[in-house]
Amino acid sequence: MRILTSLFLFIAILSCKQKEEPNKPEISKVEIEEIFNNSALSIRAIDVASDKSLAFAANNGVFGLYNPQTEEWATATQNYDTLNLQFRAVARTANDFFMLSVENPALLFKTGENGEMELVYKEVHEKVFYDALSFWNSREGIAIGDPTEDCMSIIITRDGGETWNKLPCDSLPKSLEGEAAFAASNTNIAIVGNNTWVATGGKTSRILFSGDKGKSWEIFETPMINGQSTTGIYSVDFYDENNGFAIGGDYTKPEETKANKMRTSDGGRTWELVGDKLEPGYRSCVQYVPNGDGKSLVAIGFKGIDYSSDSGSTWKHLSDEGFYTIRFLNDSVAYAAGKGRIARLKFK
């Protein structure tokens, strides 16, 4: 454990955002190189840094770090009483690594001063279920989860993750019946500067927006498919403060393509369906390709990998190999994680 967390503290964590370089050629194929395999794991939460290091947390309490310079993995298991911890949200700052479990009790851990992971937040409630975790900067971060009362669960830190406070429902938009979120890829939250977008799904699928790092909130309606507990937005990403994309569908009907892809050009206030009734169907994660001028996107799910060069209007199917989540290192290399494995993807 001490070796693992010292690696987290040793590697400088920088932003994954890359400098703009326009006129990149379109992607036509992807090469997949498996770098980690453990058939007992379901890996839905990864985080990468500009030094190409990769952190993950998964089920069975397992988490780890990949050092690309040595091509070595350091993994460990987080224990808490007799619980079998399920992690589906991770984040890193310049100083620390964080991982958040999903179910009751919700447990949020960070790297501690003694070289081990320490518990910094615990929430006990029969309805508690946290879905995603992200940071605005090294001091301020946010995690979101399903409603325990009549609003989405949102916890915020302003002191580097040492303490977390849950926002009261009177400061948040009221959730509707059957509205929640999906812990599918740790991409229910998108952040650009002080702007924050939170995607919901289920019987209602909407966007919560804050322009001041979680101090105030408003709600935006969307045309995303909804109505069932398994429908809605599964992933949202923003290229800049205006241009964003969201994808989802119904994971129980992954071939269906109706109303599962949408984009915005006004900061999420209005959304339009794109590629409606066209492939791909259900996907659990979408990310903008760096240096793609807000037009290049990659969507990923257990049914494969797809690419768009026109802001999501049309898509090219690149691979049938399934993953749950993806993060880019640059405009041609990404890490993807899924059932029992993590891979390095090279787009060409």
Side-chain angles (χ1 to χ4, degrees):
M1 176 71 74
R2 294 180 183 274
I3 294 175
L4 174 64
T5 50
S6 65
L7 277 173
F8 280 122
L9 296 171
F10 176 75
I11 295 180
I13 308 305
L14 301 174
S15 170
C16 296
K17 298 292 185 182
Q18 305 295 317
K19 293 183 179 180
E20 294 284 336
E21 293 180 13
N23 301 320
K24 291 291 181 180
E26 291 188 13
I27 292 170
S28 60
K29 63 180 181 179
V30 60
E31 294 180 356
I32 300 172
E33 176 192 4
E34 189 173 285
I35 59 173
F36 178 82
N37 186 289
N38 184 329
S39 60
L41 298 183
S42 174
I43 306 171
R44 296 180 179 270
I46 58 176
D47 186 273
V48 298
S50 60
D51 64 358
K52 301 182 181 181
S53 65
L54 165 70
F56 81 91
N59 58 324
N60 299 330
V62 177
F63 64 104
L65 176 73
Y66 174 66
N67 185 330
Q69 282 73 41
T70 62
E71 297 186 349
E72 293 179 339
W73 285 92
T75 62
T77 300
Q78 182 64 48
N79 296 309
Y80 188 85
D81 291 338
T82 60
L83 297 176
N84 180 8
L85 299 180
Q86 311 291 313
F87 294 110
R88 296 192 187 181
V90 300
R92 284 192 286 178
T93 66
N95 302 308
D96 291 297
F97 168 71
F98 297 82
M99 57 187 187
L100 176 61
S101 66
V102 289
E103 296 172 312
N104 185 26
L107 304 172
L108 177 54
F109 296 90
K110 69 177 286 291
T111 46
E113 297 298 328
N114 63 355
E116 296 182 356
M117 300 298 289
E118 62 180 26
L119 183 67
V120 291
Y121 181 79
K122 178 180 179 180
E123 183 175 343
V124 179
H125 194 286
E126 62 181 0
K127 295 181 179 179
V128 72
F129 197 100
Y130 276 90
D131 305 287
L133 173 66
S134 190
F135 275 77
W136 292 286
N137 52 55
S138 291
R139 299 291 294 173
E140 298 172 292
I142 179 174
I144 66 101
D146 295 353
T148 57
E149 299 178 45
D150 61 352
C151 67
M152 294 293 292
S153 295
I154 297 181
I155 60 173
I156 288 178
T157 182
R158 306 287 185 190
D159 61 3
E162 294 292 337
T163 60
W164 296 75
N165 295 297
K166 189 170 184 178
L167 298 184
C169 280
D170 60 12
S171 67
L172 290 167
K174 300 300 182 184
S175 57
L176 301 180
E177 181 182 357
E179 184 176 19
F182 298 109
S185 60
N186 195 33
T187 52
N188 301 95
I189 304 170
I191 289 176
V192 176
N194 294 340
N195 296 320
T196 310
W197 298 266
V198 172
T200 72
K203 294 185 178 180
T204 298
S205 191
R206 305 187 293 175
I207 295 289
L208 279 70
F209 173 75
S210 173
D212 54 12
K213 293 187 290 187
K215 296 181 178 67
S216 64
W217 293 87
E218 55 187 314
I219 196 81
F220 301 141
E221 301 296 330
T222 83
M224 180 68 69
I225 187 173
N226 60 77
Q228 303 296 324
S229 62
T230 54
T231 58
I233 305 168
Y234 278 73
S235 178
V236 63
D237 193 25
F238 270 75
Y239 189 77
D240 53 34
E241 63 182 14
N242 293 315
N243 295 287
F245 197 90
I247 201 164
D250 185 342
Y251 82 89
T252 67
K253 301 174 182 177
E255 305 300 335
E256 291 195 2
T257 57
K258 181 181 179 180
N260 77 314
K261 301 174 286 294
M262 65 182 192
R263 69 183 174 216
T264 180
S265 59
D266 60 5
R269 285 165 175 78
T270 61
W271 295 81
E272 63 172 329
L273 293 174
V274 293
D276 196 24
K277 300 180 182 179
L278 300 175
E279 295 291 341
Y282 164 78
R283 294 292 183 267
S284 56
C285 187
V286 66
Q287 296 283 278
Y288 280 99
V289 179
N291 309 323
D293 197 30
K295 296 180 180 180
S296 297
L297 294 151
V298 169
I300 207 162
F302 62 80
K303 286 290 186 177
I305 304 168
D306 299 87
Y307 166 73
S308 174
S309 62
D310 55 10
S311 303
S313 295
T314 61
W315 294 80
K316 177 185 296 184
H317 189 64
L318 300 179
S319 174
D320 289 335
E321 293 204 36
F323 295 93
Y324 299 141
T325 190
I326 183 173
R327 297 295 186 280
F328 277 91
L329 302 178
N330 52 50
D331 54 23
S332 59
V333 181
Y335 289 125
K339 184 174 176 56
R341 64 174 179 162
I342 298 173
R344 183 186 292 112
L345 309 186
K346 296 182 179 179
F347 295 94
K348 297 183 177 182

